[in-house]
């Protein structure tokens, strides 16, 4: 018995048009597959970065350069003489100098009588302070003395011994008053203590105020001179000692000198300005000082503070210091070896090797 499909079970065949103009069956499925393939192809092209187009030519990488070998610089220590010395320019100044200042009291300047470079004699007035009414008082005391002298003469003329005695006492009192005011008046003037040249004068004008114990003038005796070698600090001449020899060149001639005073051997000085000067000055006495030398002129000075002969010397760049060690690097074949050394005199460029190194060693420079 055969069963016939019902109308509900019938399926359209290929190419059959469905109601509404739709195409049926296999034709529709093929279009769907074509669309899917197109989408996949587009996605593949995008993912490949446009691999369908011809790729641009890539630049060639530069060839790798062979690194240059580090150049090792070495030197051998030499045997010779090494010196450490102070050298520079020194100025002639007097050995005998007098500082001038008011010790009783200061005051207002009335008149400045000398300037730096002036020659003076002992007793010459250098500066006067304003005396105010002091001059009038001085004249009055002098007048009083003259009156008392006259009274004494008159008393003597009377022959009265008591009147004479009284007149003598009155004259003595008047003289004491005059002496007192004259001393006060004299202290308002500053006078030269020695013959010489004014080598320092404070910058003062009438009306300026000066203080007690302020150094106002320095008078120097040009007959006795020495060289003053000034430095920035006492440490700069710490190696110099009293008695050391000095080579001096003045006006193309060579002289021999000797260190006479260092900052460490300088005497204590109350004057602050002089004390600061001593702390930064080395003084040198010159043998056979030429008569034409003058205060303020200069000369070249060289003082050897340390010297070693027939010793091992190495350039300073060959000595290394690290964490308290002092050592050198010695090249042995193609390897380096560190050797601890003991150093001695050092200059700006060289170092004395006292122990630890032998002549002929190849020392690596830094």
């Amino acid at each position: 018995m055969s069963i016939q499909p019902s109308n509900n079970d019938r399926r359209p065949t290929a190419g059959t048009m469905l109601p509404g103009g739709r195409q049926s069956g296999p034709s529709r499925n093929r279009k769907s597959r074509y669309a899917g393939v197109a989408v996949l192809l587009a996605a593949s092209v995008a993912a490949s970065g446009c691999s369908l187009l011809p790729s641009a030519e890539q630049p060639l990488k530069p060839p790798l350069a062979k690194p240059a070998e580090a150049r090792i610089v070495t030197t051998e220590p030499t045997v010779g003489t090494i010196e450490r010395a102070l050298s520079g320019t020194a100025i002639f100044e007097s050995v005998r100098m007098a500082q001038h200042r008011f010790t009783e009291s200061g005051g207002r300047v009335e008149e400045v009588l000398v300037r730096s470079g002036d020659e003076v004699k002992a007793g010459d007035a250098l500066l006067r302070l304003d005396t105010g009414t002091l001059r009038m008082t001085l004249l009055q005391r002098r007048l009083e003395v003259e009156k008392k002298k006259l009274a004494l003469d008159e008393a003597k003329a009377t022959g009265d011994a008591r009147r004479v005695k009284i007149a003598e006492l009155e004259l003595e009192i008047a003289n004491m008053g005059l002496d007192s005011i004259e001393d006060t008046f004299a202290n308002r003037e500053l006078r030269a203590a020695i013959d010489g040249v004014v080598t320092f004068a404070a910058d003062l004008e009438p009306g300026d105020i000066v203080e007690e114990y302020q150094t106002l003038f320095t008078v120097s005796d040009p007959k006795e001179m020495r060289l003053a070698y000034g430095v920035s600090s006492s440490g700069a001449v710490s190696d110099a000692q009293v008695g050391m020899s000095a080579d001096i060149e003045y006006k193309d001639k060579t002289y021999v000198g000797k260190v006479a005073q260092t900052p460490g051997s300088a005497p204590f000085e109350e004057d602050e300005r002089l004390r600061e000067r001593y702390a930064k000055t080395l003084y040198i006495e010159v043998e056979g000082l030429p008569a034409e030398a003058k205060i303020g002129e200069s000369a070249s000075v060289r003082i050897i503070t340390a010297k070693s002969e027939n010793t091992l010397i190495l350039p300073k760049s060959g000595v290394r210091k690290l964490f308290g060690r002092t050592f050198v690097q010695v090249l042995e074949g193609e390897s380096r070896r560190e050797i601890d050394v003991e150093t001695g005199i050092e200059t700006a460029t060289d170092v004395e090797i006292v122990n630890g190194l032998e002549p002929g060693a190849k020392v690596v420079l830094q």
Side-chain angles (χ1 to χ4, degrees), residues 172-218:
E172 184 177 355
I173 292 171
N175 278 325
M176 290 176 65
L178 177 60
D179 290 342
S180 177
I181 197 66
E182 282 182 339
D183 287 343
T184 303
F185 192 85
N187 288 331
R188 309 302 284 175
E189 278 190 344
L190 200 58
R191 295 184 175 274
I194 61 173
D195 296 350
V197 177
V198 178
T199 52
F200 169 76
D203 186 14
L204 296 172
E205 297 294 338
D208 292 344
I209 301 296
V210 298
E211 302 293 337
E212 181 181 355
Y213 287 102
Q214 176 185 349
T215 300
L216 303 177
F217 299 95
T218 300

Side-chain angles (χ1 to χ4, degrees), residues 90-249:
I91 305 299
F92 281 109
E93 67 173 41
S94 175
V95 175
R96 183 168 173 249
M97 295 182 291
Q99 312 294 327
H100 293 77
R101 56 180 77 91
F102 289 104
T103 57
E104 298 295 330
S105 63
R108 188 179 300 276
V109 176
E110 180 180 277
E111 186 178 8
V112 180
L113 301 170
V114 296
R115 295 294 181 185
S116 184
D118 290 350
E119 293 186 8
V120 295
K121 297 290 185 182
D124 288 351
L126 307 175
L127 180 143
R128 290 194 185 100
L129 295 179
D130 183 16
T131 57
T133 60
L134 196 60
R135 189 180 297 275
M136 179 65 71
T137 304
L138 176 62
L139 293 175
Q140 289 174 343
R141 295 288 175 87
R142 287 176 177 173
L143 178 61
E144 185 68 19
V145 168
E146 293 302 320
K147 287 181 178 180
K148 296 305 179 182
K149 287 180 179 179
L150 181 59
L152 178 59
D153 290 341
E154 291 175 350
K156 288 179 179 179
T158 64
D160 187 339
R162 290 188 64 191
R163 184 172 289 184
V164 170
K165 184 63 176 176
I166 291 171
E168 287 176 344
L169 291 173
E170 288 178 341
L171 178 58
E172 184 177 355
I173 292 171
N175 278 325
M176 290 176 65
L178 177 60
D179 290 342
S180 177
I181 197 66
E182 282 182 339
D183 287 343
T184 303
F185 192 85
N187 288 331
R188 309 302 284 175
E189 278 190 344
L190 200 58
R191 295 184 175 274
I194 61 173
D195 296 350
V197 177
V198 178
T199 52
F200 169 76
D203 186 14
L204 296 172
E205 297 294 338
D208 292 344
I209 301 296
V210 298
E211 302 293 337
E212 181 181 355
Y213 287 102
Q214 176 185 349
T215 300
L216 303 177
F217 299 95
T218 300
V219 177
S220 304
D221 183 357
K223 296 177 183 177
E224 297 181 52
M225 288 191 297
R226 61 184 176 182
L227 283 168
Y229 176 60
V231 293
S232 58
S233 66
S234 58
V237 291
S238 58
D239 290 342
Q241 301 295 327
V242 173
M244 282 185 171
S245 178
D247 296 325
I248 299 162
E249 186 174 339

Side-chain angles (χ1 to χ4, degrees), residues 303-316:
I303 303 167
I304 297 174
T305 58
K307 182 177 181 179
S308 184
E309 298 177 343
N310 196 31
T311 189
L312 213 58
I313 304 169
L314 197 63
K316 211 167 187 177

